[in-house]
Amino acid sequence: MPEEGEFYGKNGEPRKYDANFNGPIQNRGCTDIVCCILFVLAILAYIAVGILAWTQGDPRKVIYPTDSRGQFCGQAGTPLANKPLLFYFNIMKCASPMVLLEFQCPTTQMCVEKCPERFMTLVKAYTNKNDFAYYKTFCKEGASDSMGIPTLLSLGLCPAMLTPSKPFTRRCFPAMGLMGDVVTVGNKSQFEDGSGTMRDAKDLMDGVKNATVVIEARQAVMKIFEDYTQSWYWILLGLVIATLTSLLFIVLLRFLAGIMVWVMIVLVILVIGYGIFHCYMEYAHLKGEAGANVTLQELGFQTDFTVYLQIRQTWLAFMIILAIMEVVIILLLIFLRKRILIAIALIKEASRAVGHVMSSLFYPLFTFLLLAIVIAYWAVTAVFLSTSNEPIYKVFNETDCDHSRKTCEPANYSTSPEKAQCPDSECLFAFYGGETPYHKYLIGLQFYNVFLFFWCANFVTALGQMTLAGAFASYYWAVVKPDDMPAFPIFSSLGRSLRYHTGTLAFGSLILSIVQIIRVLLEYLDHKLKGAQNKFTKFLLCCMKCCFWCLEKCIKFINRNAYIMVAMYGKNFCASARDAFLLLMRNMIRVAVLDKVTDFLLFLGKLLIVGLVGIFAFFFFSGRVKAFENTAPHLHYYWVPILTVVVGSYLIAHGFFSVYAMCVDTLFLCFLEDLERNDGSAERPYLMPESLRKVLNKKNKAEPAQ
């Protein structure tokens, strides 16, 4: 019968009894040495890429705006240190479609101390000494009173006009506004463009549109940043509450696992039920309100997300989603009620194991620290790589020119043949690039940076899984607990993992990283072909993305169980993955039901903690409770701290429960091996706890009949 594991054939032979086996094997050798060497070489190459990027890159290209000469505005220690803002000679030229192709406005750009504050044309300013002195602050070096207006304009030393502007993202943009339905700039609806022609202020809109295509999004980002500065300490308090709640939950599971699981199930149902009730009340409250019946499709994307909470369809969608979750959870509980008893016994044993290995609760902090180092190294290297290009200058002109958009050298452009053929052209900074071998292979270095990021991050995660598996396996197979356990189970397991199985960890994480990088490439390809793909291509890409997503999940499952077997027996990755897979296949029903039920119960625990902290954060930050009205900070978007607290609470709860999940998975494999190795006789007694034996109707023959 498969449930008892008493079938052989293609699923392999069950484990034989071994009187000398008492937990993770101590006398073991190094595994997957070739992959270990490959991983070390890859890390050394990764360090070399980082050093190369740090010597070639320049993050100032991201921080500071760049003028037409490729100089950084506002950079300390340079002549432009007191000129932090970028000024466009003719913002209306930014309306050119070339802006969207080359990300550069085809007009002279220079660094200035302040943005223009008033309307002024070069013709009018030239007639007044004081006005011209002010005007020259927006002209290039070399502009003087002795030059005539035609000379100043032909040499491109001065702009033809100035418009009132305001700084935004260190760039001067026209101070656009509305007076009724009329577009204004500097409170005027018309202005002179420098050639004697009166123009409407709305003519500036096209020029500003391309240059400020992300203004609304950046304004939203600034508001979100302000909200964080106003509420960070309350967010921190919410995360502390989530941490204490998770710890309390873990402690209670240690002593009251059965009661806590049922209380958790009931509370999750009640919390989701309250969410359904609250959504219905909001939905009913908005009935008859002006604009509340607008659909989400009609509303479109809004940077102010509170707008969505003012329409009925949003609350209806929330209510439907929560109702589906409630029904699914209740149906699962009904159909799996018998298996929940076994899962509770397994969770009880996991609680005892965590109680004997308390340091395991703090191990996720070590994993988080290593992941933070990996992420920081990847991010810094990516920034330096992306800014290690050289400034590229191109020919920009107003009339037809054969040399338009060709590269040029600004130092000698005034005497070049291109300038002679196109007198009105200029050699302006366009973007950062390069033609050297280093720049040609820059995309390859970026790809290597991303791939090594995945490999290192997966390696750190795998190290945590194997370390915890070794510690909890030593607990299960100890005949007398905790006397037969190592003095420091976590440190012993960590030492074994790094000393003997670095290659195995690298091998498993390499396989997973290859699948993940393929998924990234598919997403990139989908993004690039989004505008041109036909239905067949779209369907094919969708199928491939789905297949590789499933493959990634399967590999994660196989890796996780392989690391448990490596921690116990010290074999290489392939042998351990095979042993784990065959063991699970010989007990397919238990795996499909019992292990997944346990995962489901632990997921409900995370859901409960997130739900409780999320509801508290909602009532506090939204000001729905009068007691908190004067205490809660005044925010642009109250959903910002709520969402941060909810996501942070989930990550904290996941950190604690991931230890439990790894403990359960390890004990589950040990439990399956126990059933195969032993038969309950006096010579081969089961090592599983009495509570688990009762649920499975198993007993050691030395025990008195119940």
Side-chain angles (χ1 to χ4, degrees):
M1 183 178 175
E3 184 71 13
E4 298 299 327
E6 296 174 356
F7 72 105
Y8 314 127
K10 63 180 181 181
N11 292 324
E13 295 288 333
R15 289 281 183 184
K16 303 296 184 182
Y17 174 71
D18 183 359
N20 296 321
F21 182 76
N22 60 353
I25 294 173
Q26 301 297 323
N27 186 18
R28 57 179 71 194
C30 296
T31 55
D32 298 301
I33 299 175
V34 174
C35 204
C36 179
I37 296 172
L38 181 64
F39 183 65
V40 171
L41 292 176
I43 292 295
L44 292 176
Y46 195 25
I47 294 172
V49 169
I51 294 173
L52 181 64
W54 298 339
T55 55
Q56 298 289 328
D58 191 351
R60 295 174 302 176
K61 297 171 185 176
V62 176
I63 300 172
Y64 302 105
T66 309
D67 68 6
S68 296
R69 297 179 179 179
Q71 299 172 315
F72 302 118
C73 299
Q75 183 189 349
T78 67
L80 301 178
N82 296 323
K83 297 181 177 181
L85 305 175
L86 188 68
F87 169 69
Y88 298 88
F89 268 31
N90 188 353
I91 191 69
M92 288 189 288
K93 288 187 179 180
C94 295
S96 168
M98 295 304 296
V99 176
L100 301 177
L101 296 176
E102 299 182 351
F103 300 101
Q104 184 71 2
C105 227
T107 185
T108 301
Q109 300 164 42
M110 62 176 289
C111 302
V112 295
E113 187 175 349
K114 295 190 301 183
C115 294
E117 297 172 346
R118 48 184 167 164
F119 277 114
M120 193 175 291
T121 63
L122 178 60
V123 175
K124 289 186 177 180
Y126 195 78
T127 60
N128 185 296
K129 186 176 181 179
N130 293 331
D131 287 346
F132 191 61
Y134 172 77
Y135 203 96
K136 281 195 298 184
T137 59
F138 302 99
C139 295
K140 293 181 181 179
E141 294 180 5
S144 64
D145 299 0
S146 60
M147 294 181 177
I149 294 175
T151 305
L152 292 171
L153 292 176
S154 62
L155 294 177
L157 296 176
C158 291
M161 64 172 180
L162 301 178
T163 57
S165 304
K166 290 183 179 179
F168 185 75
T169 64
R170 299 192 180 191
R171 290 164 175 80
C172 295
F173 293 124
M176 309 298 294
L178 282 174
M179 293 182 63
D181 294 331
V182 180
V183 177
T184 63
V185 58
N187 296 323
K188 291 184 178 181
S189 60
Q190 290 187 323
F191 64 95
E192 187 179 336
D193 65 0
S195 62
T197 305
M198 296 300 295
R199 305 280 293 270
D200 290 331
K202 65 181 181 180
D203 293 341
L204 286 169
M205 291 296 289
D206 290 335
V208 176
K209 185 177 181 180
N210 283 337
T212 61
V213 67
V214 293
I215 279 184
E216 282 194 12
R218 289 186 176 180
Q219 284 177 336
V221 170
M222 292 302 295
K223 288 181 180 179
I224 290 172
F225 179 75
E226 290 176 9
D227 286 345
Y228 276 124
T229 60
Q230 293 291 323
S231 60
W232 67 268
Y233 42 90
W234 294 110
I235 293 173
L236 192 61
L237 179 61
L239 297 180
V240 170
I241 292 173
T243 304
L244 295 176
T245 306
S246 300
L247 277 173
L248 178 63
F249 203 89
I250 296 295
V251 172
L252 291 175
L253 273 178
R254 171 71 177 87
F255 300 102
L256 304 167
I259 298 174
M260 282 298 297
V261 168
W262 289 111
V263 168
M264 174 182 66
I265 291 171
V266 173
L267 283 178
V268 167
I269 293 173
L270 291 177
V271 167
I272 297 177
Y274 172 77
I276 296 171
F277 170 75
H278 181 81
C279 291
Y280 173 76
M281 294 302 294
E282 291 288 346
Y283 177 76
H285 174 71
L286 290 172
K287 185 177 182 180
E289 294 287 335
N293 291 320
V294 176
T295 65
L296 292 172
Q297 187 175 4
E298 292 172 344
L299 186 62
F301 176 74
Q302 302 291 327
T303 54
D304 185 358
F305 290 100
T306 56
V307 174
Y308 294 106
L309 301 180
Q310 307 302 318
I311 61 176
R312 302 183 76 203
Q313 197 176 78
T314 302
W315 294 106
L316 179 63
F318 287 158
M319 185 167 59
I320 292 172
I321 293 170
L322 291 176
I324 292 173
M325 288 177 60
E326 186 87 328
V327 170
V328 170
I329 290 173
I330 291 174
L331 288 177
L332 285 174
L333 292 172
I334 292 173
F335 288 111
L336 301 176
R337 60 189 183 278
K338 292 183 179 179
R339 292 292 176 179
I340 288 176
L341 296 175
I342 304 177
I344 289 174
L346 203 54
I347 290 176
K348 282 182 179 179
E349 190 61 18
S351 300
R352 295 191 187 97
V354 171
H356 283 93
V357 192
M358 285 298 292
S359 57
S360 62
L361 289 176
F362 301 98
Y363 186 85
L365 296 177
F366 177 66
T367 300
F368 175 78
L369 177 63
L370 292 180
L371 284 175
I373 294 172
V374 170
I375 293 171
Y377 186 88
W378 163 77
V380 171
T381 303
V383 169
F384 274 86
L385 281 174
S386 62
T387 58
S388 58
N389 289 311
E390 298 172 348
I392 300 297
Y393 300 87
K394 289 195 173 186
V395 177
F396 290 95
N397 60 290
E398 295 185 4
T399 58
D400 291 336
C401 177
D402 293 336
H403 303 286
S404 179
R405 303 300 187 271
K406 291 183 179 179
T407 55
C408 58
E409 289 294 332
N412 57 2
Y413 186 73
S414 59
T415 58
S416 66
E418 291 87 350
K419 182 67 173 177
Q421 294 179 28
C422 309
D424 64 337
S425 64
E426 292 182 276
C427 184
L428 305 178
F429 168 77
F431 54 85
Y432 289 102
E435 297 296 330
T436 65
Y438 170 75
H439 295 105
K440 288 181 180 179
Y441 293 106
L442 202 55
I443 186 67
L445 295 177
Q446 285 282 24
F447 177 83
Y448 187 77
N449 183 35
V450 173
F451 179 72
L452 261 290
F453 164 71
F454 281 125
W455 196 358
C456 293
N458 289 326
F459 179 87
V460 170
T461 303
L463 176 62
Q465 292 174 345
M466 188 180 290
T467 300
L468 292 173
F472 292 129
S474 66
Y475 163 82
Y476 186 94
W477 296 109
V479 178
V480 181
K481 302 174 177 61
D483 296 344
D484 292 343
M485 294 172 57
F488 302 100
I490 289 290
F491 289 107
S492 299
S493 183
L494 178 62
R496 283 196 305 271
S497 300
L498 289 175
R499 180 179 178 183
Y500 298 110
H501 306 304
T502 297
T504 300
L505 294 170
F507 190 12
S509 54
L510 173 63
I511 297 171
L512 182 58
S513 300
I514 291 173
V515 175
Q516 289 174 333
I517 203 71
I518 291 174
R519 289 191 64 202
V520 170
L521 291 174
L522 287 174
E523 291 291 343
Y524 176 77
L525 187 63
D526 187 29
H527 175 72
K528 284 294 184 182
L529 299 177
K530 194 172 288 291
Q533 64 187 352
N534 55 34
K535 290 184 178 180
F536 176 76
T537 307
K538 187 174 183 179
F539 171 76
L540 186 62
L541 274 174
C542 185
C543 290
M544 291 180 67
K545 289 195 292 184
C546 181
C547 290
F548 277 97
W549 178 85
C550 294
L551 180 61
E552 181 182 350
K553 295 298 179 184
C554 291
I555 290 175
K556 282 183 177 180
F557 178 77
I558 293 172
N559 283 7
R560 187 180 180 92
N561 289 286
Y563 297 144
I564 296 173
M565 300 302 280
V566 173
M568 283 197 289
Y569 297 106
K571 296 182 180 179
N572 62 40
F573 178 82
C574 292
S576 299
R578 178 181 177 276
D579 291 344
F581 182 74
L582 293 178
L583 177 63
L584 295 172
M585 288 298 293
R586 292 196 296 270
N587 299 270
M588 190 180 298
I589 298 178
R590 285 197 177 104
V591 173
V593 180
L594 176 57
D595 193 37
K596 294 303 128 186
V597 169
T598 310
D599 290 343
F600 174 66
L601 292 178
L602 293 177
F603 171 74
L604 290 184
K606 289 187 279 188
L607 203 63
L608 176 62
I609 292 171
V610 172
L612 292 174
V613 177
I615 289 173
F616 171 77
F618 173 77
F619 281 112
F620 179 79
F621 289 110
S622 65
R624 301 294 178 94
V625 180
K626 291 185 178 180
F628 298 141
E629 280 183 344
N630 296 325
T631 308
H634 298 286
L635 306 171
H636 298 289
Y637 311 125
Y638 68 79
W639 54 264
V640 170
I642 294 174
L643 191 62
T644 306
V645 169
V646 166
V647 173
S649 299
Y650 179 81
L651 293 176
I652 290 170
H654 179 73
F656 283 105
F657 279 88
S658 64
V659 175
Y660 249 85
M662 197 65 211
C663 181
V664 167
D665 287 347
T666 303
L667 296 183
F668 182 65
L669 278 187
C670 293
F671 155 71
L672 296 180
E673 291 240 336
D674 194 5
L675 287 176
E676 292 190 348
R677 285 177 175 277
N678 305 308
D679 57 7
S681 63
E683 296 80 16
R684 296 164 57 186
Y686 292 119
L687 292 179
M688 68 184 74
E690 183 181 353
S691 59
L692 199 55
R693 291 199 298 270
K694 283 183 179 179
V695 174
L696 294 171
N697 198 24
K698 301 281 185 181
K699 61 181 180 180
N700 290 327
K701 292 180 180 179
E703 297 175 354
Q706 298 292 327

